[in-house]
Amino acid sequence: MEFKKSPDGGWGWVIVLVSFFTQFLCYGSPLAVGVLYIEWLDTFGEGKGKTAWVGSLASGVGLLARLGCGLLYTATVTITCQYFDSHRGLALGLISTGSSVGLFIYAALQRLLIEFYGLDGCLLIVGALALNILACGSLMRPLESSDCPLPEKTALESVPDRYSIYSEKGKDLEENTNVLGKSYGAEETRKSTLASGGRKQESLLHKNPATVAHAKEAETYKKKVAEQTYFCKQLAKRKWQLYKDYCGETVALFKNKVFSALFIAIFLFDIGGFPPSLLMEDVARSSNVKEEELIMPLISIIGIMTAVGKLLLGILADFKWINTLHLYVATLVIMGLALCAIPFAKSYVTLAILSGILGFLTGNWSIFPYVTTKTVGIEKLAHAYGILMFFAGLGNSLGPPIVGWFYDWTQTYDTAFYFSGFCVLLGGFILLLAALPSWDTCNKLLPRPAPTTFLYKVTSNV
C-alpha cells in the first residue's frame, strides 16, 4: 500500500507532540526502574540476579503492561515516519526524547512517592498517570492510501470476500446444500425430493398448507446455512492466505543481510546496553560511593543525556552527507568501549561521566527507526519494526539478570560489564560488516544502467 506524500508538518506536529507524551508516560517509569530495584533488593532480600528479573520484565516483554508499551512505541514511530520525510530525523528525535525526559522526572518522582506512600502506593499512582495515554491516542490520525480513501467497515456479510463467495454459485453451494439436506433427516429429504414428482404428492401438499410452509422454511434454512458455511470456508481461506503472506514477507525481510545484522545488533545491544540504567545506582553503592556524594542520581544523568543524544543524533540523521547506518554503528562501538570502562570507575565523578556518555549514546534510539526505514522501506516499516522491537524487548529481559548473576557469582560487577561491552561491540561490528558493500538496500531493486548508457554519457560530456 502506498501512502500519500508525507506532509512534513501540519497535523504532523500534533502527532509529534502526542507521541512525545505517549513515550513520556509509557516509558518514564520502566526506564527509571533502577530506583525501584534498590527497594526490591531490600524488600525481598534475594540475590541481584533473581531480583533483576523483576526490573527486566518491567522493561522487556514479560508483562502485559510491557506488551502495551511495545505496541504504543511501534505505533508512535510508524505514524511519525508516515507524516515526515525531509524532517524525519528531527521528528523522531523529538518524540523519542519523551522517554528520556520521563526517565529524568520519574527517577525523582518515584523516590518521593516511595517516601510518602511506600512502594505499593508509588506503583498505583504511576499506573494511574499512565491512563492519560488514552487522550494522546485519540489525536493520532493515520495517513490514508494515496490511490483511494479507506473503505468503511461493513457488516459481516458485506466484507470484500462477498465478491468471491457468491460469484461461484454452482458447484460448492449446491454441494453444501445437498450435504446439509442429507443430515437434516430422511423424512424431510423424501418430501423435498418428491415435491416435484407425481400428482399424488402434489395433491397431498395442496391439501396440507402447513406441510408446504414447513418444507419451504426448511429449504430456506438449509440454503442460509449452506451459504454461511461456504462464507466461513472462504473467510478461513482468506485468513490462511494472509498468514502465509505474512510469513513470506518475514522470510523476505531476513533475506536482506542488513536487516538480519540489524536484528542481531539490536538484540545484543539491549542485552548489554540496558543493564546500566537498571543497575548503575547499585554499582555506585557497591563501589562504596557515599550517599552525600550523590549530587544527582546517576540514573537522572543517564536520562538527561539520553534526551540530548536523541535530539542531536536525530538532527544529524537529516543531513544528506551523513550515512545514518555508519552513525548508528559508531554509537554502538563507542558505547561498548564505555561499558568496558565502568569497572575502572571507583568514584562518583567518573561514574557520572560514564553515565553521561552511556546516556548520550543510548540516544541512538532516535535514529534506529530511520535506519530501519532506509533498510526495508516505509511500506514494510511496521512489520520490520515490530519484529525488531520484540527481540529488543527480549534482550531487555535477559540483560539485567545475566549481569546480576555475574555479580552473584564473582561478587563484583567487573566481569558483568566486560560481558555487556563485548555484546554491544559484537553487534556493532556485525552490522558494520553487513553494511560495507551497500548502504541503501532499498535501491538494489532498481535496474543498473547498461554499459551503452554509460558510454553515451561519456561521449556527450566530451
Side-chain angles (χ1 to χ4, degrees), residues 93-360:
L94 288 172
I95 69 167
S96 59
T97 55
S99 58
S100 305
V101 175
L103 166 59
F104 173 71
I105 293 178
Y106 272 92
L109 177 63
Q110 288 180 158
R111 282 189 173 184
L112 287 174
L113 292 176
I114 290 172
E115 183 179 344
F116 285 105
Y117 303 105
L119 183 59
D120 294 342
C122 170
L123 295 175
L124 285 172
I125 294 173
V126 168
L129 290 173
L131 290 174
N132 291 283
I133 296 173
L134 295 172
C136 297
S138 65
L139 296 174
M140 293 186 181
R141 302 175 185 171
L143 280 180
E144 295 180 352
S145 175
S146 59
D147 45 7
C148 60
L150 294 174
E152 294 182 0
K153 292 184 180 179
T154 57
L156 182 63
E157 293 83 1
S158 303
V159 295
D161 285 345
R162 63 182 178 178
Y163 301 112
S164 60
I165 290 175
Y166 296 109
S167 60
E168 304 173 9
K169 289 183 178 178
K171 208 176 269 186
D172 293 331
L173 195 56
E174 288 177 4
E175 237 177 71
N176 292 333
T177 307
N178 291 337
V179 170
L180 186 64
K182 287 178 183 178
S183 63
Y184 191 75
E187 183 179 352
E188 297 299 333
T189 305
R190 186 166 56 254
K191 288 180 182 180
S192 154
T193 307
L194 299 176
S196 59
R199 295 177 182 175
K200 186 177 179 181
Q201 182 68 20
E202 285 182 4
S203 62
L204 180 63
L205 289 175
H206 281 297
K207 288 180 181 179
N208 193 350
T211 308
V212 176
H214 182 70
K216 286 183 178 179
E217 185 180 345
E219 188 67 29
T220 303
Y221 172 76
K222 286 188 289 181
K223 195 170 184 180
K224 284 184 179 179
V225 173
E227 288 177 353
Q228 291 298 325
T229 303
Y230 183 67
F231 172 80
C232 291
K233 285 182 180 179
Q234 291 294 99
L235 191 61
K237 286 180 183 178
R238 183 178 175 83
K239 296 300 180 183
W240 175 248
Q241 186 60 43
L242 289 174
Y243 173 75
K244 290 202 312 187
D245 292 343
Y246 178 85
C247 294
E249 289 174 5
T250 303
V251 172
L253 283 174
F254 279 99
K255 286 182 180 178
N256 182 333
K257 61 180 179 180
V258 177
F259 177 81
S260 298
L262 199 60
F263 150 76
I264 297 172
I266 193 63
F267 178 68
L268 293 175
F269 168 74
D270 278 275
I271 286 180
F274 176 69
S277 64
L278 176 64
L279 304 173
M280 194 59 83
E281 297 290 330
D282 193 54
V283 170
R285 189 165 70 172
S286 301
S287 300
N288 298 319
V289 176
K290 298 179 180 179
E291 289 279 344
E292 53 270 17
E293 293 180 21
L294 296 173
I295 303 171
M296 181 183 292
L298 295 175
I299 196 168
S300 295
I301 296 175
I302 292 175
I304 293 172
M305 293 307 297
T306 301
V308 174
K310 286 178 176 178
L311 190 58
L312 292 181
L313 291 172
I315 293 173
L316 288 175
D318 283 332
F319 289 104
K320 302 299 181 185
W321 49 271
I322 291 182
N323 188 313
T324 318
L325 180 60
H326 292 164
L327 177 63
Y328 183 75
V329 170
T331 62
L332 295 181
V333 173
I334 299 173
M335 186 173 188
L337 296 175
L339 286 168
C340 292
I342 289 179
F344 300 99
K346 301 299 180 183
S347 66
Y348 172 77
V349 175
T350 51
L351 284 173
I353 293 173
L354 286 174
S355 296
I357 294 172
L358 291 172
F360 181 85

Side-chain angles (χ1 to χ4, degrees), residues 33-34 36-58 278-279 282 285 397 400-402 404-405 408 413:
V33 75
L36 303 176
Y37 177 69
I38 302 296
E39 295 294 325
W40 288 328
L41 281 174
D42 297 336
T43 300
F44 299 118
E46 296 288 347
K48 297 182 187 294
K50 185 181 290 187
T51 307
W53 271 112
V54 182
S56 66
L57 290 177
L278 176 64
L279 304 173
D282 193 54
R285 189 165 70 172
S397 299
I402 292 174
W405 286 329
D408 293 337
Y413 277 115

